């Protein structure tokens, strides 16, 4: 039987420390939804999503009740639309985004990911149309998320795509100027993108994935923070061990929920993504975990080392708890979604340069960062290029989700509400990178790509 | 791996937890509700933690006349009357977190 302490520990994790299953994401292959007539293709997409995911939300709620653990988001990811839409006669893929949006509304999920393209080595016709369609697609739909992979360790960095994405980000911001550039919050630029990531906005259903799959993302920064606080003053070995044990417990919960959801829905179970993903709620912050380790403010000297320890210990604990850990497992450091990060940025402890350094050891990258609205596309492209270079050289995933907030200056604030939170606008360098990013072509893959 | 465990040990067991201010009659009321719905109690442990009453009860729902959702609802109502927080969760939530 169970000891009283074990039972109470689980209850406390859920009720006081905000342990939750952050997302169950159903991945759906749309490869059989191609058609030369784009309207027919869109209809097939709508029909397939609504039939496979019709019970997703209901099943999630059932599991929440049975196990007493909240599941915050139920979401869908689909095959990158550039692959599905390419054989159609459409010269604008916005209708595909609209079909996804309608399907998402019909089944009741709050986001659907996969308005995506993989262009690390070059662009096909479909990739080009998709990228050109992003600003309109994201500003006219509500729930569609988009991602573009522009670099990888094996292919290098497609700088033409990087430059283009700098312009796309600007256009997305301008088209949603009345909402602080909300469309940018639904768009991620990736290096080494994982194909089984259940977290938005970067989720899509990779081409190596099965027909339909359930991936789960677990999160518990509050739980980790409390555990870290309990070993206050102890050495690093003890600290890492504590985080590891906590991560183990959190991941087990994710595995249980993922398996239960997959079984109820009659689809295979994919992966548990064990990530410390914050929310704007107090006590649910990655920055606060770092501060509990002994930093006065997240962003001060020592932050990168603290984050490296945290990220690694989380992965080690998770690897023992589930045989199928995947996605982006590790610590997320989105600025606007984390109360501690927001506070650190507002008091100047956390800057873009420090965030960039932290992305070398975290699981994703520059995430949900608001910069001045008059930042040129070339500068945004250069920020993307820097981040892609970190991912490429270090064989890790990196991403950029950045918001040039229309009409806003340093010190102003953007508000997105809900899980997306709010962020202070932080400064970027004023010196131009135009001549650099407009060279065109591809930055060659590094020598460590020659592993075969 | 976990699939196998689930298949081998089909579990209808739940864990009922009661946390709140101590008073006379909590255990009697909770076990009363379980008995009315034909839920068999397997194990009870109870203590006073920092002045708070804390009880963990393992029960078998095999022959229960209500489903877990219905039982939770009844326990929740009882808890409101007693001024304590009563939860019922499937056992697996605890089994997987604490047992390898």
């Amino acid at each position: 039987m169970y000891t009283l302490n074990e039972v109470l520990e689980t209850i406390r994790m859920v009720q006081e420390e905000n342990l939750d299953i952050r997302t169950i994401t159903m991945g759906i292959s749309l490869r059989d939804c191609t058609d030369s007539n784009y309207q027919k293709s869109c209809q097939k997409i709508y029909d397939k999503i609504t039939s496979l995911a019709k019970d997703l939300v209901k099943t999630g709620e059932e599991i929440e009740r049975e196990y007493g653990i909240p599941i915050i988001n139920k979401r869908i990811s689909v095959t990158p639309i550039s692959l599905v839409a390419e054989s159609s006669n459409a010269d604008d893929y916005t209708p595909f985004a609209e079909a996804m949006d309608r399907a998402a509304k019909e089944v009741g999920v709050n986001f659907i990911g996969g308005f995506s393209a993989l262009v690390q080595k070059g662009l096909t016709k479909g990739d080009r149309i998709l990228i050109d369609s992003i600003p309109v697609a994201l500003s006219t739909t509500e729930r569609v998320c988009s991602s573009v992979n522009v670099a990888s360790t094996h292919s290098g960095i497609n700088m033409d795509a990087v430059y283009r994405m700098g312009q796309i980000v600007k256009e997305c911001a301008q088209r949603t100027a009345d909402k602080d550039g909300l469309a940018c919050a639904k768009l991620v630029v990736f290096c080494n993108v994982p194909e089984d990531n259940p977290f938005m906005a970067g989720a899509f259903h990779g081409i190596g994935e099965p027909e339909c799959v359930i991936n789960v993302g677990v999160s518990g920064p509050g739980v980790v923070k409390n555990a870290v606080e309990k070993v206050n003053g102890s050495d690093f070995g003890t600290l890492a061990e504590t985080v590891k044990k906590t991560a183990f417990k959190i991941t087990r919960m994710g595995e249980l929920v993922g398996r239960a959801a997959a079984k109820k829905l009659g689809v295979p179970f994919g992966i548990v993504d064990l990530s410390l993903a914050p929310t704007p709620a107090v006590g649910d912050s990655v920055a606060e975990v770092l501060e509990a380790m002994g930093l006065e403010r997240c962003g001060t000297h020592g932050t990168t080392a603290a984050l490296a320890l945290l990220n690694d210990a989380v992965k080690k604990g998770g690897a023992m708890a589930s045989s199928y850990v995947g996605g982006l497992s590790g610590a997320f450091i989105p600025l606007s979604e984390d109360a501690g990060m927001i506070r650190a940025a507002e008091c100047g402890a956390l800057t873009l340069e420090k965030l960039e350094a932290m992305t070398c050891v975290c699981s994703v990258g520059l995430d949900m960062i608001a910069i001045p609205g008059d930042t040129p596309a070339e500068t945004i492209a250069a920020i993307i290029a820097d981040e892609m270079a970190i991912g490429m050289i270090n064989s890790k995933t990196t991403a950029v989700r950045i918001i040039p907030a229309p009409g806003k200056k340093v010190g102003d604030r953007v508000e997105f509400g809900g899980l997306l939170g709010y962020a202070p606008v932080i400064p970027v360098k004023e010196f131009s990178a135009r001549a650099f990013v407009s060279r065109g072509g591809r930055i060659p893959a590094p020598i460590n790509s020659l592993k075969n | 791996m976990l699939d196998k465990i689930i298949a081998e040990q089909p579990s209808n067991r739940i864990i009922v937890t009661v946390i709140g201010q101590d008073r006379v009659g909590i255990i009697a009321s909770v076990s009363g509700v379980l008995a009315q719905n034909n839920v068999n109690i397997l194990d009870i442990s109870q203590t006073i933690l920092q002045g708070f009453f804390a009880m963990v009860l393992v029960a078998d729902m095999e022959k229960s006349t209500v489903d877990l959702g219905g039982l939770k609802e009844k326990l929740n109502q009882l808890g409101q009357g007693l001024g304590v927080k009563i939860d019922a969760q499937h056992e697996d939530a605890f089994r997987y977190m604490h047992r390898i």
Side-chain angles (χ1 to χ4, degrees), chain A residues 260-273:
Chain A
K263 200 172 165 199
K264 278 177 193 263
L265 289 162
V267 295
F269 170 67
I271 54 109
V272 179
D273 183 312

Side-chain angles (χ1 to χ4, degrees), chain A residues 1-2 4 6-11 13 15 65-68 248-249 252-253 255-256 259 263, chain B residues 2-3 6 15 17 47 49 56 68 72 85 87 89-93 95-99:
Chain A
M1 282 302 152
Y2 307 90
L4 197 62
E6 285 172 344
V7 173
L8 293 178
E9 184 184 5
T10 304
I11 304 238
M13 281 182 177
Q15 290 181 355
R65 275 197 302 278
E66 266 176 42
Y67 297 116
F248 171 83
K249 291 181 181 178
R252 294 288 287 177
M253 195 59 107
E255 170 114 5
L256 169 67
R259 299 256 172 202
K263 200 172 165 199
Chain B
L2 271 176
D3 281 340
I6 291 169
I15 298 203
T17 53
T47 188
L49 267 183
V56 174
L68 181 54
K72 275 170 84 104
K85 188 158 173 40
D87 266 317
Q89 281 159 259
H90 199 275
E91 180 204 38
D92 288 350
R95 185 146 60 113
Y96 289 129
M97 188 179 260
H98 297 288
R99 299 277 183 269

